[in-house]
Amino acid sequence: MAKTILILGACGQIGTELTLTLRNLHGSERVIASDIREGGEELMASGPFESLDATDPNALEDAVMHHEVEEVYLMAAMLSATAEKFPDRAWHLNMTSLFNVLKLAKEKMIDKVFWPSSIAVFGPNTPKDRTPQSTIMEPSTVYGISKQAGERWCEYYNRKFGVDVRSLRYPGLISWKTEPGGGTTDYAVEIFHHALKHKSYTSFLSAGTELPMMYMDDAIRATITLMRANPEQLQVRSSYNLQAMSFTPDQLSAAIRKHIPDFRIRYEPDYRQAIADSWPGSIDDTPAREDWGWEPQFGLEETTAIMLKELGKRS
Ligand code: AKB
């Protein structure tokens, strides 16, 4: 029987596009989308959906057995800004779901796992420019602490029990199909919606806050390429650094002004500024390039043009 893939958190920003892409590659029936709530129209119409809470070990095991699942993509998570408001819930969701999946993999009920980490694993004492793969990591956010702990557990389960778990440290992700929710990098998506609707945006990060970012197509391609890589190629079993582009709100607004000349941006930094200030401005992703051939395809200009074009069709 051909393999079945289970996506946990399929209705979120990454989960939606990952599910659609995997369904194109493997066929709709082979990719089970699951989440605690239903997703957008395109996703729901594209193939099977199961209501599933990734923190419930019995429900997860039942789904894995029932669908004869071989690969799990665990995309359910509470992101940085929301996690600061609900630390207990964030820790519970981010860690319990990971343990549930790792345990099933340890018991050989699943062959392969993808788990997303983040640039949030780094902290204020980390070198900010071209942050290396291995460096000081003292995350100062609840989300970052959960991602750093998760990375340690992934590596542990791989080395100790041979679990084939693979991971990427995603930067801020920019997409038009599904909006992000609860992240510090969300401004870089919100700004496009506001630019088209109001020709103005009030940024919750200051003008000069540089952060690593990536267009969603690059993120999906990175994820699938990593999952297809020969296991012997993969030296990093915590999580790979990944870089595509870095920019500030000021630079992004200048790129938008090339398409909408009267677009205006104002700055009213809030509690998310401290989170952004604790993260790197750019990432050194040499191990990802050397081990499995990572190379980004979208920069700031291309991303801006696509976002305005695609969102413009809807407004
Ligand atoms: C967030 O802002 O919390 C996420 C992330 C960088 O992991 N987008």
Side-chain angles (χ1 to χ4, degrees), residues 13-14 78-82 117-121 143 147 169-173 180-187 211-213 275 279:
Q13 188 199 14
I14 313 174
M78 192 183 287
L79 299 187
S80 58
T82 312
S117 187
S118 160
I119 53 163
V121 291
Y143 174 65
K147 288 295 176 189
R169 289 175 180 154
Y170 288 128
L173 298 180
T184 302
T185 57
D186 293 7
Y187 93 86
L211 287 170
M213 299 278 181
I275 301 176
W279 290 350

Side-chain angles (χ1 to χ4, degrees), residues 191-200 256 260 263 308:
I191 194 170
F192 290 104
H193 291 266
H194 285 244
L196 286 162
K197 219 169 172 182
H198 312 293
K199 294 192 178 176
S200 70
I256 292 174
I260 307 175
F263 172 68
L308 291 174

Side-chain angles (χ1 to χ4, degrees), residues 117-193:
S117 187
S118 160
I119 53 163
V121 291
F122 300 115
N125 299 322
T126 302
K128 272 208 174 303
D129 297 326
R130 290 190 52 77
T131 300
Q133 174 71 40
S134 299
T135 183
I136 301 168
M137 293 164 80
E138 294 170 350
S140 55
T141 63
V142 173
Y143 174 65
I145 295 168
S146 76
K147 288 295 176 189
Q148 196 198 22
E151 285 193 7
R152 297 289 90 226
W153 281 112
C154 287
E155 191 183 84
Y156 184 84
Y157 268 72
N158 174 262
R159 306 274 186 242
K160 188 105 179 166
F161 308 120
V163 167
D164 192 356
V165 52
R166 305 173 182 205
S167 177
L168 297 171
R169 289 175 180 154
Y170 288 128
L173 298 180
I174 302 174
S175 63
W176 52 269
K177 280 197 176 158
T178 308
E179 284 186 55
T184 302
T185 57
D186 293 7
Y187 93 86
V189 177
E190 269 177 25
I191 194 170
F192 290 104
H193 291 266

